[in-house]
Structures are given as C-alpha cells and as structure tokens.
Amino acid sequence: TDGPTYCEFSGGAFGYRSGQPLRRELLARAVGFKGKALSVIDLTAGLGRDAAVLALLGCDVIAIERNAVVFALLDDGLRRARSAADTPDALAERITIVNADACEYLEGLDPGMRPDVIYLDPMFPERTHSALAKKEMRVLAQLVGAEEDGDRLLRAALATRCHRVVVKRPLHAPPLAEEAVGAPPLQFRGRSARFDVYFPDVGVIRAS
C-alpha cells in the first residue's frame, strides 16, 4: 500500500521547492507576477502546493477545494505549518481556504471583488504509457476521481472578466474547451507541463 497521505509545507519536495528562487518558477511567470502583490483565486486547490508558492511570492490567495476529505488534509497541513516556528508568515497571512464548489463560488462573487488572476489545475489525464503518478496524485485521483469539469471551470473563470486566467495542462494535452473559447493567446511551456493563459477582460493577446 501507499501508506498515509498528508499535506506538508515544510520538508520534502515542497520544502526544497520553496527554498528556490520562486520568481523564476514558470507559475510565477504565468500569473504575471512582477513583484507587486496579486489577488489570486485557485479553483482547484488540492493539497495546496501551488497556492502556497503563490502566497510565498507575495500573492493573496483564496484556495478553493470542493472535496471534504482533501479540504481536511489541506486544512490540517496549513494548521501544522502555521504552528511551526520556521514557517514563513505568508502561509498564515496570504492563504484563505474555502470548502466549496468553485463554479458556485465564482457565481456568488461580487463584481467588485474580482481577482487579478484565476488559476486552475484540473486533474491530469490518467497516464497509460509512463511511470505511475506520484503517490499524492494517485490518492487525489482516488478521492475526487478524474477531473471531468475542467471545461466548465474555465468557462466560469472567463465569465468573471478578471484580468488573467491560467490553466495548468500536461505538456501535450489539448487546451481546455478549445472549440468553445479558442486557443490560449499565451503559453508557458516546461518539461512536463505548460500553463495556458487567457485574458478575458480584453479578449486579445497581451505580453507576459
């Protein structure tokens, strides 16, 4: 068996990642971080790693997770991190977690409270010809199932008319809802994943 799964923000892979120059991360470039605090809504928080990176950069993040078990893991991880003496203040001050359906949350959002960025990372498609996904991804898949409403989330995000919507995708996967919303005007490509960027407030290509 895989053994217990928990959310950890200090040691392990995330501890290493958070110790690197975060402004160089592809995620930072994709959300358009240039040193000024951004307001971000993460529609698919999961175990909160990307939300934590954004908070450590200096962004104010509302992290939404609809699955009650995953939300409990995330809440536990943040509580333990916030009680640790060496945890950066940003994890306590810049992340708000919400247990809700992301689309319903966006529908109830006051137009005056639109964030600078909406971020979503739908569950990657099951791998059939490569190594097994990491343990955490396997557990998340078992808990929430394959992410089948990525298209719905993207359309809801675009409907807010916020400045920037960022979608994390497998490197060679098609864009979400491409027939309905068109190709993303901007992409940031890494070794195994990419970030598709949309600008719903203007509807045109903008520089990163």
Side-chain angles (χ1 to χ4, degrees), residues 73-143:
L73 291 171
L74 176 60
D75 185 48
D76 172 69
L78 284 172
R79 285 177 184 273
R80 285 186 287 104
R82 288 164 176 168
S83 66
D86 58 348
T87 298
D89 292 341
L91 286 183
E93 299 172 355
R94 292 190 176 275
I95 297 182
T96 302
I97 59 174
V98 178
N99 184 202
D101 177 86
C103 289
E104 292 178 1
Y105 182 89
L106 291 182
E107 288 172 1
L109 198 64
D110 187 293
M113 299 298 292
R114 285 181 298 186
D116 298 310
V117 181
I118 294 178
Y119 174 71
L120 59 147
D121 176 11
M123 192 72 68
F124 278 13
E126 183 180 355
R127 304 179 188 185
T128 56
H129 299 293
S130 60
L132 285 174
K134 293 180 181 179
K135 169 187 156 186
E136 290 172 355
M137 291 298 295
R138 295 200 301 272
V139 172
L140 284 176
Q142 291 169 2
L143 286 172

Side-chain angles (χ1 to χ4, degrees), residues 153-168:
L153 290 174
L154 175 58
R155 288 194 293 268
L158 295 174
T160 66
R161 310 298 291 179
C162 69
H163 170 56
R164 183 181 291 224
V165 174
V166 179
V167 184
K168 187 176 183 180

